[in-house]
Amino acid sequence: MCLVVYGEDSHSRSVWVSPGATAREACHMLVQTAHCSDQENWALLEVNPTLGLERCLEDHEVVLEVQVTWSLNGDTRFMFCKNYAKYEFFRKPMLFFPESMISDSADVNKGMTSSELIKNLLKSGTCPEIQGFLHVKEPSRKAWKKVYFFLRRSGLYSSSKGSSKEPRHLQYVADLGDLNVYTVVNSRKLYGAPTDFTFCIKPSKKPIRIQDLKILCAENEQTRTCWTSAFRLFKYGKQLQRNYEMSKAAPQKVEGSKLADGKSKSEASLVAMDFSGKAGGRVIQNPMEAQSAEREEGLAWRRREALRCSLPNLNSAVSPSSIHKTQLWFHGGVSRKEAQRLIEKQGLVDGMFLIRDSQQHAQCFVLSLCYQLKTKHYLVIPFENGGRKYYTMDDGDTLFIDLLQLVEFHQINKGILPVCLKHPCVCVAL
């Protein structure tokens, strides 16, 4: 059967798939037909622009079974894009399940810390019970009400009396096996949400209709991510664990094979070396000595680049190079909010980044970087030194002849950043 899939440039591509083709298989076909440079971290998104809904299909979901639930007159579509965060909660569980949101009924008091509890539950294909306040949109009204919810294996419940979990105060809201969870884009404008961190649940077998949506709003991104991750884990259980294991075994061309701790083989093979002696290099075993060597190498790199850039006839142009305009991580004049949206769509994982034109400062750029589920923005300014123009993020302490050099440096050195640049945020064209 013919499957129509859109890229992030709004162009579509048709591919023929079997009736039982899964999202993983469809992504593999699209990688081949679109001649993508790698096969890792691709995903199919179910998108409804009118209602602002987005959902990443699980790898095992049958694509045509999802499509058959759509309304013929609606604008729901599939989008092909990168998603680095699909299984990130297996790698960094404490970031996704903060202790403050774990239900008191969890067995933390049996000589087991909350960290150990979460790791054990994830390995068994489930997660701890989640609790906390959420804003809920009242049906057929613009008003939002703050309600205390509990997410358990048996379903979603709300409390009719504050945060009480007594059975007489609990109201059954939804069966987890019969719903899908979506993130909501532009929720303030579309639904008058009190924050931007909105998600919703709806019956999985019904077409997307606004009257069937239960729209919920969290106070921050970590809270929203905790709820949506818990919905997925309670619904699919061990199947998500199997999907994760299969994703680690998938062929990879660019970023290297992933090890059990989430690092690539190329990363794990990097060791600190000392070549100052006459007998050749030695591996630095002491972590403190390794950090000192990293700092010294960074200073040496700056001195070498300063010398290289001061040589005559290196570059006849006075202004820095515009080579950044050809790079996939450069997104031109997108706004701060759109930059955050692009990074969010491809996965809030540490090291996801893009560079864009600054909208407030002429001739400047902004590096947008994800760290601990938040997008941080760093101003890149032009800096003149010795009659030449450079770029800097630290008031001239470190100078770069162009943005490409800035990116390459920070892919191996954190510098002033909290984490190295790792995943470029790219727009997929089909």
Side-chain angles (χ1 to χ4, degrees):
M1 297 183 70
C2 183
L3 182 70
V4 179
V5 180
Y6 286 80
E8 290 171 290
D9 60 351
S10 298
H11 289 87
S12 63
R13 179 184 290 266
S14 298
V15 292
W16 288 93
V17 298
S18 65
T22 63
R24 181 198 302 278
E25 293 164 345
C27 285
H28 180 73
M29 293 182 65
L30 287 163
V31 165
Q32 302 300 320
T33 56
H35 305 290
C36 299
S37 59
D38 68 289
Q39 299 185 31
E40 185 185 15
N41 298 314
W42 293 101
L44 274 185
L45 263 61
E46 181 185 5
V47 179
N48 185 296
T50 302
L51 298 178
L53 306 185
E54 292 184 357
R55 178 178 77 92
C56 180
L57 266 66
E58 304 297 350
D59 287 345
H60 67 276
E61 285 190 81
V62 177
V63 178
L64 295 180
E65 288 182 2
V66 175
Q67 188 178 43
V68 78
T69 65
W70 297 350
S71 171
L72 295 177
N73 299 323
D75 61 349
T76 308
R77 62 182 64 174
F78 286 126
M79 180 180 290
F80 179 58
C81 68
K82 283 282 193 179
N83 188 315
Y84 292 92
K86 193 186 300 185
Y87 303 115
E88 193 70 4
F89 49 73
F90 286 119
R91 304 182 186 103
K92 299 179 180 179
M94 291 306 297
L95 180 62
F96 282 74
F97 300 102
E99 189 171 348
S100 60
M101 292 184 63
I102 298 176
S103 173
D104 297 336
S105 61
D107 294 331
V108 183
N109 56 358
K110 293 184 177 180
M112 184 183 297
T113 65
S114 59
S115 175
E116 292 171 336
L117 171 70
I118 293 171
K119 290 179 180 178
N120 287 342
L121 288 172
L122 288 179
K123 286 181 180 179
S124 64
T126 185
C127 75
E129 295 180 1
I130 302 301
Q131 63 182 15
F133 280 105
L134 291 170
H135 301 275
V136 58
K137 190 175 186 306
E138 299 193 35
S140 305
R141 295 179 60 189
K142 293 184 178 180
W144 289 75
K145 184 179 179 181
K146 202 169 185 180
V147 179
Y148 206 84
F149 286 93
F150 299 88
L151 186 61
R152 301 173 174 175
R153 191 191 304 272
S154 56
L156 177 66
Y157 300 84
S158 64
S159 177
S160 60
K161 185 179 180 180
S163 58
S164 172
K165 60 176 64 177
E166 293 185 26
R168 60 195 177 98
H169 295 145
L170 292 185
Q171 298 178 341
Y172 185 74
V173 177
D175 176 20
L176 304 186
D178 186 41
L179 59 82
N180 286 328
V181 58
Y182 296 78
T183 57
V184 182
V185 183
N186 203 17
S187 58
R188 287 182 185 266
K189 181 178 180 180
L190 291 173
Y191 304 104
T195 76
D196 292 319
F197 312 107
T198 311
F199 64 101
C200 79
I201 54 176
K202 81 162 210 49
S204 56
K205 303 300 182 183
K206 292 184 179 181
I208 296 178
R209 301 181 305 173
I210 191 168
Q211 59 265 37
D212 295 324
L213 305 181
K214 190 163 191 68
I215 305 174
L216 306 165
C217 188
E219 294 293 343
N220 53 57
E221 183 59 54
Q222 186 182 40
T223 302
R224 175 171 71 170
T225 303
C226 177
W227 282 99
T228 55
S229 300
F231 271 107
R232 292 173 58 205
L233 282 162
F234 275 129
K235 178 176 181 178
Y236 294 111
K238 290 187 176 180
Q239 182 63 56
L240 282 192
Q241 180 74 34
R242 289 192 290 269
N243 291 351
Y244 172 52
E245 295 299 331
M246 289 181 67
S247 72
K248 292 193 295 182
Q252 301 151 6
K253 295 182 181 179
V254 173
E255 295 179 3
S257 299
K258 295 289 181 181
L259 302 176
D261 59 359
K263 292 185 177 180
S264 69
K265 290 182 179 179
S266 58
E267 288 180 73
S269 63
L270 295 176
V271 295
M273 298 288 293
D274 176 17
F275 293 97
S276 60
K278 296 182 179 180
R282 69 176 180 89
V283 177
I284 301 176
Q285 303 286 354
N286 188 306
M288 298 298 293
E289 186 184 358
Q291 290 182 1
S292 176
E294 179 186 2
R295 287 192 296 269
E296 181 60 33
E297 177 60 25
L299 292 172
W301 183 90
R302 297 175 192 176
R303 290 192 291 267
R304 289 196 303 270
E305 290 301 315
L307 176 62
R308 183 171 71 85
C309 295
S310 67
L311 295 175
N313 301 322
L314 173 69
N315 186 357
S316 59
V318 177
S319 61
S321 167
S322 60
I323 191 173
H324 58 269
K325 294 181 180 179
T326 66
Q327 304 301 307
L328 295 176
W329 40 255
F330 183 68
H331 289 254
V334 301
S335 66
R336 178 189 181 103
K337 188 172 183 178
E338 180 61 21
Q340 292 180 180
R341 177 70 198 122
L342 287 169
I343 290 176
E344 177 187 315
K345 180 178 288 188
Q346 297 194 17
L348 290 172
V349 295
D350 291 354
M352 171 76 71
F353 75 97
L354 62 82
I355 293 181
R356 55 190 172 88
D357 293 317
S358 173
Q359 295 188 325
Q360 297 182 345
H361 305 279
Q363 299 182 1
C364 295
F365 299 91
V366 177
L367 169 66
S368 298
L369 172 68
C370 179
Y371 179 64
Q372 293 188 344
L373 299 178
K374 296 179 180 179
T375 302
K376 301 176 180 291
H377 305 274
Y378 300 86
L379 187 64
V380 181
I381 63 173
F383 189 92
E384 188 167 333
N385 185 21
R388 292 180 179 274
K389 287 187 178 179
Y390 302 89
Y391 291 116
T392 183
M393 291 195 299
D394 53 13
D395 297 324
D397 288 343
T398 313
L399 301 177
F400 305 96
I401 58 175
D402 53 40
L403 295 182
L404 179 60
Q405 189 184 61
L406 181 148
V407 168
E408 290 178 342
F409 174 83
H410 287 97
Q411 285 177 327
I412 57 175
N413 302 276
K414 290 192 299 185
I416 66 166
L417 304 177
V419 66
C420 288
L421 305 182
K422 188 173 183 181
H423 304 296
C425 183
V426 300
C427 280
V428 180
L430 290 178

